[in-house]
Amino acid sequence: MSRGRRAKPAEIKALLGNPGKRRLALLSPKAGASGADVAPSIHVPEPPSFLDDDEREAFAFVYETMPLNLVRESDKVAVSRWAGWLVKWVNAKRRLADKGNDSYVSVSKHGSFVRVDADFNVMCKAEANLVTLEDRLGLNTVARSNLTSKLFQMPGPHPGALFEDDEPAAGKKPAAEAPAVKEEIDPLGFLDGAGKQYSPSKTH
């Protein structure tokens, strides 16, 4: 009798990103195969035309490095937005590095004031949008763990018919009808039906 925790299937390990970096069964040759590694191919969809070269590189990076079946082709627009904000954040950071400071001193007739550089505000806004998109797309460890756990806990399809007019599958008994609900009777109606007429003038 084996003891200990049951090992996770190779497909689930691949979906979780294989943090242990172990060789998965998905990458081992199948029995009777020619000996070449059998690994699922990574599909990178065609990026939208409104992305520039840097944004296209970030777009492809998501599809190439994310666990399989977690980011779909239907997420192209969301991934494109993430790539656009990432490039804005990087460019603003580089400009701040050239300036050597994220603030400057503004002198006016009212005095001297230390003001935040505009590129620093661009970085903050871009980072806020990046965090939101990363949480939705699973581009960080916590969000990815939450998404994968929800995927594995999703219930299967309902065994019964979807609509009342659908015919039951062959070999399956039709679902039992729900018992009829008795009509509710008010207290006075119950007494009338029981033969005990209630008289308000009668005292007990």
Side-chain angles (χ1 to χ4, degrees):
M1 179 177 179
S2 61
R3 295 184 178 181
R5 183 179 300 176
R6 180 179 298 177
K8 296 179 181 178
E11 292 82 359
I12 296 181
K13 291 181 180 179
L15 190 60
L16 294 174
N18 191 18
K21 304 301 180 183
R22 298 181 177 87
R23 184 173 180 82
L24 303 180
L26 291 174
L27 302 179
S28 60
K30 292 183 178 180
S34 59
D37 285 346
V38 179
S41 59
I42 298 175
H43 172 65
V44 179
E46 182 66 23
S49 58
F50 55 80
L51 297 181
D52 59 24
D53 292 339
D54 292 337
E55 293 169 346
R56 285 171 177 263
E57 185 178 352
F59 177 90
F61 174 78
V62 172
Y63 282 94
E64 291 172 353
T65 58
M66 284 288 289
L68 300 177
N69 297 329
L70 196 56
V71 178
R72 305 296 180 89
E73 188 169 355
S74 57
D75 299 323
K76 285 173 55 173
V77 176
V79 176
S80 300
R81 292 200 305 267
W82 177 86
W85 282 114
L86 178 64
V87 173
K88 288 182 181 295
W89 186 89
V90 172
N91 291 337
K93 184 179 185 304
R94 288 173 177 172
R95 290 193 297 267
L96 283 178
D98 294 337
K99 297 174 185 178
N101 202 345
D102 56 5
S103 61
Y104 63 95
V105 178
S106 174
V107 181
S108 67
K109 63 179 181 180
H110 302 288
S112 300
F113 301 93
V114 177
R115 301 184 184 277
V116 177
D117 193 279
D119 286 325
F120 183 80
N121 291 330
V122 172
M123 279 188 61
C124 293
K125 184 175 182 179
E127 184 172 359
N129 286 281
L130 285 171
V131 170
T132 300
L133 289 170
E134 287 170 359
D135 290 341
R136 293 179 179 178
L137 295 172
L139 299 182
N140 57 62
T141 304
V142 176
R144 189 159 50 249
S145 176
N146 292 336
L147 288 175
T148 51
S149 63
K150 290 179 181 178
L151 286 175
F152 295 140
Q153 293 174 3
M154 289 179 62
H158 194 276
L162 183 59
F163 301 103
E164 293 181 357
D165 297 336
D166 292 347
E167 294 293 335
K172 291 186 178 181
K173 297 181 179 179
E177 297 182 357
V181 180
K182 295 182 179 180
E183 183 180 358
E184 294 184 358
I185 303 177
D186 61 303
L188 294 180
F190 174 77
L191 293 177
D192 290 340
K196 297 180 180 179
Q197 186 66 32
Y198 173 74
S199 176
S201 60
K202 185 179 180 179
T203 58
H204 296 282

